[in-house]
Amino acid sequence: MIKCVKCNAKYDDNEVIYNCKECGSVLEIFVDIDKSEVPKETFDCRKDTLWKYKEFMPVDETKIISLDEGGTPFCKCNKIGEELGVDLYVKVEGSNPTGSFKDRGMSVGITKASELGVDTVGCASTGNTSASLAAYAARAGLRCVVLLPSGKVALGKLAQAMFHGAEVFSVNGNFDEALETVTALALEKHLYLLNSINPYRLEGQKSIGFEIIHELGWESPDRIILPVGNAGNISAIWKGITEFHNAGYIDELPMMTGIQAEGASPITNAFRKNTMDMVPVENPETVATAIRIGAPVSSIKALRAIYDSNGYSDTVTDEEILDAQKELARYEGIGVEPASAASIAGLKKLVEEGVVEKGEKIVCIVTGHLLKDPNTAINACTKPIEIDADIEALKKVLLNK
Ligand code: F0G
């Protein structure tokens, strides 16, 4: 059943609908499973993909379109953790098939598209959603249309969307404007929209929450920190964790902590005013182009997740993001794109401010791979040193350092 998050209006699972017809708010899929029906041991000996938790995935099991997404690394990060005085784990979503967490949502979203029998799918994107959609549409044999904000999509993501055969449009405008345009096309039924306004997308992404709980031995961390852009992922992870809580698998819940870039922070602004009313940011700007978003469509779900979990939201500067990106790469060997590093930058800031307490068990979600945005990575480094192919020339430089 599809349900409105605001007025509780209900819709059939197979209705193609993105907003409530009664009140215009966003929708979610109602999933209610109890441990008496599905004991947690059910998941133990299955292949390590998100479909391990298939009982919680509201789609037709015989129609699954998958690239074995999910089951991503869960790395203990002792160096950064000890420096900050916390017990730190990093969930490395860049290890998904197209290099970001979007693959989880697309696997379920494209499965639903196949179930519905649509022939064209589409999205607007800051890059990763389009890369993922293009790959999964190719696998399902569907036509794929993507709208990208002109000049603001990192190179790796653009290459993926194009190479997987999507019809790519470069929009003169930002992500929010591109999303409005493609949504209008979807409402005229020219394509099936697979942005996170489509509630089936979040059903896949909630598996990040499942995996964290499972990996911690059926316990909740104290806090989950992640970057927030269109605000789908924080909403999805919270949904997954509350479903596991309602099923009776866990007793505690984590504090959901959403980090935004200073130049694109409508969710944090609302949190600071302790309100549910998100005021869009005009002309959002940040080096973390993945989260360069001014009017997040899932703001109501995200703010609920933050308030209901006794969580927090804060901003970080571009400089803090790039510093954290480098630290993660240099001290822990984990290469992430700038937006992902907002979680680590946020953790550092919240430790300094005393919001995060010493000894907390924290999971930071790093959402996309370093290679998504090679230009930013290269610009942050000194150039390679040119030498002749000669041992003496090499020694001269290397040993004189
Ligand atoms: N991190 C990365 C690497 C992303 O690509 C995104 C969103 C986010 C974080 C934020 O997640 O939107 O669920 O709050 N990227 C979208 C896209 C908008 O089009 O690829 P969110």
Side-chain angles (χ1 to χ4, degrees):
M1 185 214 330
I2 304 175
K3 201 167 111 300
C4 172
V5 301
K6 208 166 189 175
C7 74
N8 279 328
K10 295 178 180 60
Y11 302 94
D12 183 77
D13 280 334
N14 287 329
E15 187 160 349
V16 176
I17 182 171
Y18 308 106
N19 284 99
C20 179
K21 289 182 203 162
E22 304 293 327
C23 74
S25 189
V26 284
L27 305 167
E28 69 180 5
I29 314 291
F30 183 69
V31 176
D32 186 21
I33 287 170
D34 187 81
K35 67 176 175 192
S36 59
E37 303 157 53
V38 185
K40 60 180 191 280
E41 293 72 26
T42 311
F43 312 118
D44 278 342
C45 47
R46 290 182 179 166
K47 192 170 174 180
D48 216 2
T49 79
L50 73 82
W51 296 102
K52 182 191 261 191
Y53 308 102
K54 63 183 180 184
E55 285 80 359
F56 284 80
M57 299 299 163
V59 284
D60 180 352
E61 214 187 294
T62 64
K63 297 252 169 27
I64 291 175
I65 306 286
S66 172
L67 287 164
D68 284 356
E69 52 293 317
T72 52
F74 189 65
C75 296
K76 186 99 204 291
C77 286
N78 287 334
K79 288 190 202 158
I80 296 179
E82 276 166 24
E83 186 191 309
L84 298 174
V86 297
D87 194 10
L88 177 62
Y89 295 81
V90 167
K91 184 78 172 145
V92 187
E93 287 298 294
S95 294
N96 276 299
T98 77
S100 84
F101 69 95
K102 306 286 181 181
D103 293 341
R104 297 174 183 268
M106 279 318 161
S107 181
V108 175
I110 285 282
T111 296
K112 189 66 198 178
S114 303
E115 217 182 294
L116 293 168
V118 305
D119 55 16
T120 307
V121 292
C123 71
S125 180
T126 56
N128 282 322
T129 298
S130 67
S132 184
L133 181 59
Y136 283 81
R139 196 159 172 88
L142 301 176
R143 185 177 178 193
C144 176
V145 176
V146 310
L147 275 67
L148 307 176
S150 175
K152 294 291 183 181
V153 172
L155 206 61
K157 307 174 189 183
L158 185 61
Q160 288 177 293
M162 291 165 67
F163 202 73
H164 284 298
E167 291 162 63
V168 180
F169 294 88
S170 185
V171 177
N172 297 320
N174 60 29
F175 167 82
D176 304 296
E177 292 160 326
L179 182 57
E180 231 174 86
T181 309
V182 76
T183 303
L185 198 67
L187 290 174
E188 285 188 7
K189 303 203 187 313
H190 296 295
L191 53 77
Y192 184 60
L193 187 63
L194 275 168
N195 279 100
S196 56
I197 186 86
N198 183 326
Y200 285 97
R201 273 275 313 278
L202 302 193
E203 292 304 296
Q205 286 168 214
K206 74 185 181 185
S207 60
I208 298 176
F210 294 166
E211 288 178 17
I212 290 171
I213 299 295
H214 198 166
E215 246 148 337
L216 288 175
W218 299 102
E219 272 186 21
S220 170
D222 295 311
R223 188 184 296 275
I224 294 178
I225 307 182
L226 72 161
V228 174
N230 214 18
N233 211 28
I234 189 169
S235 312
I237 295 173
W238 178 242
K239 185 175 194 283
I241 289 192
T242 48
E243 283 174 9
F244 265 19
H245 186 258
N246 294 343
Y249 301 151
I250 49 168
D251 298 324
E252 306 289 327
L253 290 163
M255 292 175 274
M256 298 302 295
T257 302
I259 306 298
Q260 297 208 283
E262 205 172 63
S265 60
I267 298 285
T268 309
N269 295 347
F271 174 76
R272 285 176 179 154
K273 292 193 187 129
N274 195 26
T275 169
M276 287 297 291
D277 294 323
M278 181 274 300
V279 179
V281 168
E282 304 284 332
N283 305 317
E285 205 48 82
T286 166
V287 67
T289 51
I291 52 172
R292 185 177 168 271
I293 294 174
V297 296
S298 295
S299 63
I300 179 172
K301 293 181 183 175
L303 285 162
R304 264 193 203 166
I306 293 168
Y307 292 131
D308 290 352
S309 69
N310 196 24
Y312 203 80
S313 184
D314 211 338
T315 58
V316 287
T317 63
D318 281 359
E319 198 185 345
E320 287 166 333
I321 287 174
L322 295 177
D323 283 351
Q325 185 194 18
K326 208 173 234 183
E327 267 181 48
L328 205 50
R330 302 273 165 104
Y331 300 148
E332 304 287 0
I334 299 173
V336 305
E337 66 166 290
S340 309
S343 58
I344 299 291
L347 167 63
K348 287 172 64 180
K349 182 170 177 186
L350 297 184
V351 166
E352 263 165 42
E353 288 177 350
V355 173
V356 167
E357 288 174 21
K358 295 281 169 200
E360 274 189 27
K361 184 177 283 189
I362 293 185
V363 178
C364 282
I365 318 284
V366 292
T367 43
H369 199 280
L370 173 72
L371 294 176
K372 290 282 191 173
D373 188 352
N375 293 335
T376 306
I378 289 170
N379 289 340
C381 300
T382 50
K383 277 194 192 149
I385 301 163
E386 276 187 43
I387 54 155
D388 292 330
D390 166 64
I391 184 174
E392 291 309 322
L394 182 57
K395 275 162 70 182
K396 197 168 154 200
V397 182
L398 207 58
L399 305 181
N400 280 347
K401 273 204 165 170

